[in-house]
C-alpha cells in the first residue's frame, strides 16, 4: 500500500496488491474499508469452538479446568477430539481473517486483520470479553502472512513444550520470540507482532506465577501418572 499526496497531506491511497491493486482510493474510503475489514476480522476471532463444544456437553468452559477457552483446556476438560477441533478451528479463523485483509488491502490489510482476529479471540465481545489466550489463532494469522515464519515459530514453541512438557512455556516462548522473528522475516508485520507478543505473554502471567512456584501442571499427554490411572480405571 502506498500513499500519494503533497504538502497538504495524502490525496490518494494506492493499495498496490489484493483484488483492489489497480484502484486508488481517497483517504476516507480507504480508512473505511480498512475499518470494515478489521471489524470483520475481530468478529471472526469471536468464534469460540471450545465454548460451543462445551455448551453442547452442558458445560461452561470458563468454569472448567483452567477456565481458558483454548485448545489446552478443551483437551483437559473434554478430551482429545474436542481439543483437536478447537485447535484446528482457532488456527483456521486466524488464517481466514488475515487472508481476508490481504485479499482487499494486500500485506498491510493482512497484518492489521491478523492483529484484530487475535484481539477478537482474546477479548470477544459476544462472550463478555472473556476468550482464550490466542496462541493457535496467532499461528493461523502468521501462516497467512508468511508460512515459513509460521513454521519457525511452531518449531520454537515445540522445542519449549517438549523440553518442559508444559504448553504454557511454549506459548510464552512463542510470544517472546515472535517480534524478533518478524523483524527479520516480515518487517511490515513487526508492530503487530510486537503487540501480539506482549499480549500473549501477559495473558500467561498466571502461568508464569505457577511456573515460578513449581505449581504449573504438565500437559495431560505427558502425564504418565494420569495415563496409568486412566488405564486402571
Amino acid at each position: 500500500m502506498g500513499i500519494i499526496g503533497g504538502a497538504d497531506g495524502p490525496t490518494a491511497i494506492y493499495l498496490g496488491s489484493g483484488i483492489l491493486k489497480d484502484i486508488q482510493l481517497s483517504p476516507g474510503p480507504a480508512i473505511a474499508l480498512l475499518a470494515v475489514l478489521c471489524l470483520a476480522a475481530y468478529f471472526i476471532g469471536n468464534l469460540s469452538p471450545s465454548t460451543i463444544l462445551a455448551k453442547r456437553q452442558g458445560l461452561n468452559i470458563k468454569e472448567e479446568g483452567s477456565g481458558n477457552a483454548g485448545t489446552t483446556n478443551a483437551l483437559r476438560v473434554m478430551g482429545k477430539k474436542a481439543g483437536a477441533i478447537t485447535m484446528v478451528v482457532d488456527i483456521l479463523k486466524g488464517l481466514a481473517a488475515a487472508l481476508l485483509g490481504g485479499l482487499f488491502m494486500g500485506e498491510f490489510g493482512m497484518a492489521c486483520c491478523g492483529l484484530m482476529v487475535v484481539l477478537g479471540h482474546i477479548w470477544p465481545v459476544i462472550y463478555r470479553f472473556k476468550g482464550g489466550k490466542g496462541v493457535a489463532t496467532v499461528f493461523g494469522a502468521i501462516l497467512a502472512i508468511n508460512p515459513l515464519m509460521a513454521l519457525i515459530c511452531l518449531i520454537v514453541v515445540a522445542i519449549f513444550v517438549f523440553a518442559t512438557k508444559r504448553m504454557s512455556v511454549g506459548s510464552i516462548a512463542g510470544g517472546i520470540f515472535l517480534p524478533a522473528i518478524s523483524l527479520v522475516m516480515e518487517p511490515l508485520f513487526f508492530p503487530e507482532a510486537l503487540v501480539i507478543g506482549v499480549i500473549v505473554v501477559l495473558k500467561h502471567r498466571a502461568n508464569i506465577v505457577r511456573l515460578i512456584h513449581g505449581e504449573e501442571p504438565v500437559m495431560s499427554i505427558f502425564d504418565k501418572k494420569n495415563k496409568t490411572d486412566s488405564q486402571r480405571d
Side-chain angles (χ1 to χ4, degrees), residues 79-99:
K80 293 179 181 179
K81 183 178 179 180
I85 293 173
T86 298
M87 180 177 66
V88 170
V89 174
D90 281 347
I91 291 173
L92 288 177
K93 70 186 187 186
L95 178 68
L99 288 176

Side-chain angles (χ1 to χ4, degrees), residues 2-232:
I3 298 176
I4 301 172
D8 295 330
T11 57
I13 294 179
Y14 176 64
L15 300 180
S17 58
I19 63 175
L20 302 180
K21 63 181 179 179
D22 297 322
I23 297 178
Q24 293 180 10
L25 297 177
S26 60
I31 293 172
L33 175 59
L34 180 61
V36 169
L37 292 171
C38 287
L39 187 63
Y42 173 82
F43 278 104
I44 291 173
N46 275 218
L47 175 64
S48 177
S50 63
T51 302
I52 295 170
L53 291 170
K55 188 174 182 180
R56 290 179 62 181
Q57 297 184 22
L59 302 172
N60 182 349
I61 195 66
K62 301 303 294 182
E63 297 176 356
E64 303 290 338
S66 67
N68 180 57
T71 299
T72 304
N73 200 37
L75 174 67
R76 181 183 297 117
V77 173
M78 296 179 285
K80 293 179 181 179
K81 183 178 179 180
I85 293 173
T86 298
M87 180 177 66
V88 170
V89 174
D90 281 347
I91 291 173
L92 288 177
K93 70 186 187 186
L95 178 68
L99 288 176
L100 177 66
L103 180 64
F104 286 94
M105 299 194 75
E107 293 181 356
F108 180 73
M110 190 175 287
C112 291
C113 287
L115 172 61
M116 290 305 298
V117 71
V118 173
L119 296 182
H121 173 86
I122 296 174
W123 293 293
V125 64
I126 65 175
Y127 292 116
R128 299 181 180 180
F129 302 101
K130 295 179 180 180
K133 295 179 180 177
V135 177
T137 303
V138 171
F139 176 74
I142 298 172
L143 191 61
I145 294 167
N146 187 321
L148 180 57
M149 185 169 76
L151 177 60
I152 292 173
C153 290
L154 180 61
I155 291 172
V156 169
V157 171
I159 288 173
F160 280 88
V161 169
F162 282 97
T164 65
K165 298 180 174 60
R166 291 167 174 83
M167 185 63 208
S168 59
V169 178
S171 300
I172 293 165
I176 292 172
F177 280 93
L178 175 60
I181 295 171
S182 175
L183 186 61
V184 174
M185 301 188 68
E186 289 290 339
L188 181 64
F189 183 60
F190 175 73
E192 290 85 357
L194 182 60
V195 172
I196 290 172
V198 170
I199 291 173
V200 167
V201 173
L202 289 177
K203 287 295 292 183
H204 285 83
R205 58 189 180 277
N207 303 86
I208 294 172
V209 171
R210 288 195 294 269
L211 286 165
I212 291 173
H213 291 91
E215 299 171 352
E216 181 75 347
V218 300
M219 290 182 67
S220 58
I221 60 174
F222 295 114
D223 194 337
K224 295 181 180 179
K225 181 180 182 300
N226 284 345
K227 285 182 180 180
T228 303
D229 291 343
S230 298
Q231 290 171 353
R232 287 174 180 171

